[in-house]
Amino acid sequence: MSVRPQALPPKEAKAYWKGKVSVTNDDFKRLEGVARDRAFTVSGLSKLDQVNTVQGAIQEALNNGETLAQFKGRIGGILEQQGWTGKKAWRVENIFRTNVQSSYMAGRFTQMKRVAKARPYWMLVAVKDARTRKSHLAVDGFIFRHDHPFWQTWYPPNGFMCRCMVVTLSERQVKARGLTVQTEMPDTIRVVDPDNGMESFVTPIPDKGWSTNVGESWLTGLSSTEMKGELIDIDLPTLCRRGEFADDPCKPSLSKLDPRHIRKVTNKDLMSKGLPDKNYVKAFLQEFGIDDLNGSKVHQLPGAIPVVIDKNFFIRDKASGTGWKVIKEGREQYVRLLARTILDPFEIWETSVNIGGRTRPCLNLIRLFADENGKIGGYAVFQDRKSVV
């Protein structure tokens, strides 16, 4: 019996890139938090149609596994208009390689987290040639657990055109190869230049503006916590479900909403009062196909925004995992409708709010339901990728 390897499409990388929204440089600078994470712009391009063209070309490159040359062919008109040829051709390669690498690494992060129980150790791998930055070379071969804070700063790409990768290792592989798993963040490190053999000492720091984890910011999605402090709207652009930015967000007139957008409910869809807290939590999870109270899954909202669905939506003390916060002003009766709002929102807004003096990103989901006696509005609010029920 022979085994033939088959190339699989990078569906997670494509989903990450599909969730990007093209904006101009001016709009990008005005955005905050989640909205900025979801936006795509190109320095030097002032017209939105040009940014859209570049974004679409990168999407095709991910969909079809295209090369840099094919990418250039798709945006040839922009190259001529901007003069990005000859000595300035590096700008095109930078746009292509940086964004494709970011997409692949975001997708890779998703895949590695799926197998973290069996392969809990991650090793950073640099290319180690004359083009490798010393700070990146300094952390080549470093091994940390997948949940170590190191990866919040050093998960690739760690700079423009960074070629670093991460590989997963099982505990058996670590022991068999005699590898060392680090526990402390790196300090000053001795580095040998692979080109000339010269030694130098480097304090490893990612390139300016790259001390982030592109995979975690996409995958982590919305983990639940309670919003504390007064919520005050901030006058910043809002990213709407339609993929448009506007100072006055796309607020639908719910009183004039087309009936096809209103979901009908019956008494069977509502929960009785006075049930044990766990019954409401189970009913919520079952709407997502989760039968185990301790189960979880990642649900993709429109726009490829991930939401982590689990019982933590209703846990009061996240550190100890104890204490339910389910019974509240009779709203526990509508947990199924809350789930359906998340599963099928009519509107999604990403905006910024002030909470306790800090500017935080905020995600709003809206769905309208109608019963025999009138209308019931379904509404969920999420802030800083942390949900509020």
Side-chain angles (χ1 to χ4, degrees):
M1 176 178 168
S2 61
V3 178
R4 295 183 180 180
Q6 181 179 358
L8 298 175
K11 64 178 182 179
E12 291 88 356
K14 292 192 293 184
Y16 166 83
W17 190 253
K18 189 176 180 180
K20 292 282 189 177
V21 176
S22 295
V23 297
T24 63
N25 274 298
D26 289 341
D27 281 339
F28 185 81
K29 292 174 182 177
R30 296 174 61 199
L31 299 176
E32 299 284 342
V34 176
R36 177 170 281 210
D37 289 342
R38 299 293 167 186
F40 168 72
T41 193
V42 179
S43 178
L45 295 184
S46 58
K47 296 180 179 180
L48 186 58
D49 61 340
Q50 292 178 321
V51 180
N52 277 323
T53 298
V54 175
Q55 185 188 17
I58 293 175
Q59 186 72 63
E60 289 302 312
L62 290 168
N63 291 344
N64 307 319
E66 294 181 351
T67 64
L68 173 61
Q70 290 171 306
F71 172 72
K72 288 181 177 180
R74 289 185 180 277
I75 63 170
I78 294 177
L79 302 186
E80 295 178 2
Q81 293 171 17
Q82 300 297 126
W84 291 348
T85 56
K87 294 182 178 180
K88 292 186 177 181
W90 63 270
R91 297 197 60 168
V92 184
E93 184 174 1
N94 184 20
I95 294 168
F96 177 77
R97 296 197 184 283
T98 299
N99 287 290
V100 169
Q101 178 73 342
S102 294
S103 300
Y104 277 125
M105 291 309 297
R108 176 71 173 155
F109 185 88
T110 308
Q111 296 168 341
M112 294 193 302
K113 277 295 187 180
R114 286 181 190 149
V115 297
K117 186 175 181 180
R119 305 180 69 82
Y121 303 108
W122 293 2
M123 179 169 65
L124 195 148
V125 179
V127 176
K128 295 189 292 187
D129 60 14
R131 292 192 293 150
T132 305
R133 280 154 276 200
K134 290 184 179 180
S135 58
H136 296 200
L137 186 63
V139 292
D140 172 65
F142 270 44
I143 302 173
F144 288 90
R145 278 188 55 88
H146 68 96
D147 52 1
H148 192 278
F150 175 82
W151 300 113
Q152 295 174 10
T153 302
W154 272 103
Y155 187 82
N158 300 308
F160 289 107
M161 296 184 66
C162 171
R163 297 167 295 158
C164 295
M165 297 292 291
V166 179
V167 298
T168 65
L169 297 165
S170 66
E171 186 170 355
R172 184 178 65 177
Q173 288 175 316
V174 169
K175 291 180 179 179
R177 300 177 189 180
L179 301 174
T180 300
V181 177
Q182 281 84 3
T183 57
E184 301 295 328
M185 295 294 285
D187 198 354
T188 303
I189 299 173
R190 171 179 167 272
V191 175
V192 178
D193 192 310
D195 192 37
N196 53 35
M198 295 185 63
E199 295 184 3
S200 58
F201 289 88
V202 177
T203 299
I205 300 174
D207 298 7
K208 185 177 180 180
W210 290 87
S211 298
T212 58
N213 182 329
V214 65
E216 188 172 52
S217 67
W218 176 64
L219 173 66
T220 300
L222 310 168
S223 59
S224 53
T225 189
E226 189 166 4
M227 186 183 296
K228 297 180 180 180
E230 183 182 1
L231 186 152
I232 303 173
D233 289 332
I234 297 177
D235 185 20
L236 286 172
T238 296
L239 175 59
C240 303
R241 180 179 181 176
R242 295 196 300 266
E244 300 171 357
F245 286 91
D247 292 317
D248 183 18
C250 44
K251 297 179 180 178
S253 177
L254 299 183
S255 62
K256 300 179 181 179
L257 197 62
D258 189 314
R260 65 190 175 90
H261 296 306
I262 301 175
R263 299 289 178 261
K264 294 182 179 181
V265 296
T266 66
N267 289 335
K268 293 181 179 180
D269 297 307
L270 307 182
M271 302 285 289
S272 300
K273 290 184 179 181
L275 299 176
D277 291 13
K278 291 184 179 180
N279 288 34
Y280 298 111
V281 179
K282 288 180 179 179
F284 174 84
L285 295 176
Q286 285 172 352
E287 291 290 317
F288 297 90
I290 304 172
D291 293 321
D292 183 356
L293 186 63
N294 295 312
S296 67
K297 70 184 299 184
V298 176
H299 169 67
Q300 296 287 349
L301 291 170
I305 303 171
V307 184
V308 178
I309 304 297
D310 58 21
K311 68 179 181 182
N312 285 321
F313 272 88
F314 306 96
I315 292 291
R316 188 174 301 282
D317 186 345
K318 302 303 184 296
S320 63
T322 60
W324 297 108
K325 57 180 181 93
V326 181
I327 311 299
K328 192 174 184 180
E329 299 176 359
R331 286 186 286 178
E332 65 275 8
Q333 295 178 271
Y334 305 102
V335 290
R336 291 194 180 111
L337 303 191
L338 170 63
R340 293 171 195 178
T341 299
I342 298 171
L343 282 166
D344 183 27
F346 172 70
E347 281 289 343
I348 299 178
W349 307 337
E350 291 180 12
T351 186
S352 297
V353 296
N354 184 295
I355 306 173
R358 295 180 59 191
T359 299
R360 309 288 290 274
C362 184
L363 188 65
N364 302 270
L365 311 181
I366 295 176
R367 163 58 64 192
L368 207 64
F369 299 93
D371 61 12
E372 297 176 354
N373 302 316
K375 296 176 181 178
I376 305 173
Y379 181 54
V381 179
F382 302 89
Q383 59 94 10
D384 196 23
R385 301 188 185 88
K386 296 180 179 180
S387 67
V388 181
V389 179

